[in-house]
Amino acid sequence: GDGRWSSMNCAKSRYGRMWRTVRDDEVAAELTGVNLGRVRVLAFVISACCAGAGGALAWPSKYDHGCLMAAAIAFLITKQQDKVAFGVARSGLQAYHEPVAAPGHLQSILRAMAGVEPAGEADLAGAIREMARRVRRRGLLILFSDLLEEPEPILRALSAFTQRGSEVIIFH
């Protein structure tokens, strides 16, 4: 199913290769420049999100569940003093927050999540294109979506990130 496809794609990504390297030989991983602490924390977050997916039926909506996972990841990224951007897809990009590395920024993202009531067309491809236009640096795009739109426009929009060396993880 979809979960297995996501797991396989994550395992093939740069982060998946780093996790395997750390698992197989920590000394070799450290010598090749892998930050062991950072890789372990990211592995923990992804594992926690997947474990949380098991309890998804208890949540009132898919949106609430996606917000919980996104908030957990944003919290850990902010704790590592890395920048976090945020946006909601509704008829394009909505509720966008520029990339910032500050605890107060996390609070504004959480308020934005709480203030959105999912409804109507998302235009996910348009939102992704707009996000790519605004976030010009290489990084990691983590997308939470039910992907109920045509896949081709979404894949074309995601290529704007991958072509400049960024990585994309999709939670579906």
Side-chain angles (χ1 to χ4, degrees), residues 7-151:
S7 298
M8 289 184 333
N9 280 329
C10 186
K12 292 177 185 176
S13 75
R14 180 174 58 146
Y15 297 98
R17 290 188 304 271
M18 282 192 293
W19 292 331
R20 279 194 310 277
T21 302
V22 169
R23 178 197 65 199
D24 294 341
D25 190 347
E26 288 184 6
V27 173
E30 201 166 27
L31 289 173
T32 60
V34 174
N35 182 332
L36 295 179
R38 187 175 193 168
V39 169
R40 287 181 181 136
V41 167
L42 185 57
F44 173 77
V45 170
I46 299 298
S47 297
C49 289
C50 291
L57 296 175
W59 287 93
S61 72
K62 291 183 282 187
Y63 176 78
D64 292 335
H65 183 82
C67 283
L68 177 66
M69 292 189 334
I73 292 171
F75 172 77
L76 288 170
I77 291 170
T78 302
K79 281 297 214 184
Q80 294 179 37
Q81 299 178 346
D82 287 328
K83 294 181 179 181
V84 176
F86 173 77
V88 172
R90 182 185 289 163
S91 300
L93 185 61
Q94 192 179 72
Y96 177 73
H97 293 256
E98 293 287 334
V100 176
H105 181 60
L106 179 61
Q107 293 300 320
S108 68
I109 289 173
L110 296 176
R111 280 192 296 276
M113 286 180 187
V116 172
E117 193 62 40
E121 289 289 320
D123 183 18
L124 188 56
I128 293 168
R129 282 191 302 274
E130 179 63 19
M131 182 75 84
R133 188 185 68 74
R134 291 183 184 207
V135 180
R136 298 188 182 273
R137 298 185 70 187
R138 199 185 90 157
L140 173 65
L141 172 67
I142 303 175
L143 177 66
F144 298 89
S145 175
D146 54 13
L147 299 173
L148 293 177
E149 299 179 29
E150 288 296 318

